[in-house]
Amino acid sequence: IKNINFLKKMVENLFPFIVKILSMDRFLKQSEEVYYLEKNKNNITEQDIIFLKNQAKLNKSQKCRICIHKNENELMQEMFIIHTNKCYVRPHFHSDKSESIQVLEGEADLFIFDNLGNITDKIDLGCISSKKTFFYKIDKNIIHTIIIKTDFFLFKESTTGPFKKNMMIYPEWSPINFENKFNNYLMNFK
């Protein structure tokens, strides 16, 4: 039994490595969190999602994405994004564009805030079979965050380009890092 447990553990540890090796010819790595599909690749497979999940678990931020668009300047930007339940998404807004999210796996709470940090809405997100909201459009200048409720939250995000990091704005009241007090504020909202 000891040998069987050892073998199981060895296979568990090798599996992410094997998926990563098999995925290397599919992606161009921009950072630990951002990958682009290789030229002439236009599809996402289950193996790609497994790769995303493994990468997210390895990242300090606990998130990872595969961009379908070829570069940051494309006008249409589509991404498959994984967040683990340890991922903190700082409340923010985009001053120049709206974005939409389509939930593919997992559950999360989307919180909408006013300019002072008061919660104005909470949307329960889940895949279509969950009977929760599976698609949501967030208009520009809407302050929002998400709290992940399952081990993984997989969603497709669509927005317009070009991507400009300086147009993602964090209100002064939004905690830079995870804080229990802020998390409790969110969790106690009815």
Side-chain angles (χ1 to χ4, degrees):
I1 291 179
K2 196 172 190 180
N3 287 339
I4 291 172
N5 288 337
F6 173 76
L7 287 173
K8 281 183 181 179
K9 190 68 173 168
M10 191 170 83
V11 169
E12 285 176 15
N13 290 334
L14 278 176
F15 185 72
F17 177 74
I18 292 167
V19 168
K20 189 171 186 173
I21 294 296
L22 293 173
S23 300
M24 289 177 94
D25 69 329
R26 290 193 42 80
F27 305 116
L28 297 170
K29 181 178 179 179
Q30 180 176 328
S31 71
E32 295 299 322
E33 293 180 11
V34 180
Y35 292 82
Y36 282 85
L37 284 176
E38 278 280 359
K39 291 179 183 172
N40 304 320
K41 306 273 190 218
N42 290 308
N43 65 309
I44 296 291
T45 66
E46 182 179 14
Q47 182 178 330
D48 298 333
I49 300 306
I50 292 168
F51 170 78
L52 263 184
K53 287 179 177 180
N54 288 323
Q55 290 306 112
K57 286 191 296 187
L58 295 173
N59 290 337
K60 181 180 177 186
S61 67
Q62 295 289 291
K63 62 185 174 184
C64 193
R65 72 182 59 211
I66 296 173
C67 298
I68 306 305
H69 51 281
K70 300 301 179 196
N71 61 59
E72 292 180 349
N73 294 316
E74 284 200 19
L75 296 180
M76 181 63 185
Q77 304 208 345
E78 298 176 286
M79 298 144 276
F80 286 83
I81 303 171
I82 284 276
H83 289 184
T84 75
N85 59 3
K86 295 177 183 157
C87 177
Y88 171 67
V89 179
R90 184 177 180 191
H92 65 282
F93 66 93
H94 306 275
S95 61
D96 63 335
K97 63 177 107 187
S98 61
E99 62 186 325
S100 64
I101 58 175
Q102 179 180 356
V103 181
L104 302 171
E105 179 185 321
E107 295 182 4
D109 289 331
L110 171 67
F111 291 91
I112 307 296
F113 304 90
D114 66 17
N115 290 334
L116 300 174
N118 299 305
I119 299 170
T120 61
D121 203 1
K122 173 186 167 190
I123 299 94
D124 292 328
L125 299 173
C127 64
I128 195 166
S129 64
S130 73
K131 309 284 191 235
K132 297 180 183 218
T133 300
F134 73 94
F135 178 88
Y136 195 87
K137 180 182 176 209
I138 304 167
D139 290 323
K140 69 179 182 178
N141 295 317
I142 298 296
I143 304 167
H144 59 282
T145 189
I146 56 175
I147 298 290
I148 312 308
K149 295 164 50 175
T150 51
D151 289 342
F152 292 100
F153 184 64
L154 168 64
F155 61 102
K156 180 180 179 248
E157 180 179 307
S158 300
T159 190
T160 56
F163 174 71
K164 299 175 193 166
K165 192 169 184 131
N166 64 335
M167 299 307 267
M168 188 161 88
I169 300 168
Y170 302 101
E172 287 184 26
W173 55 261
S174 69
I176 295 171
N177 298 304
F178 176 86
E179 292 180 4
N180 281 326
K181 182 179 177 183
F182 184 70
N183 191 60
N184 290 338
Y185 168 61
L186 298 176
M187 300 286 56
N188 290 320
F189 181 79
K190 302 290 182 208

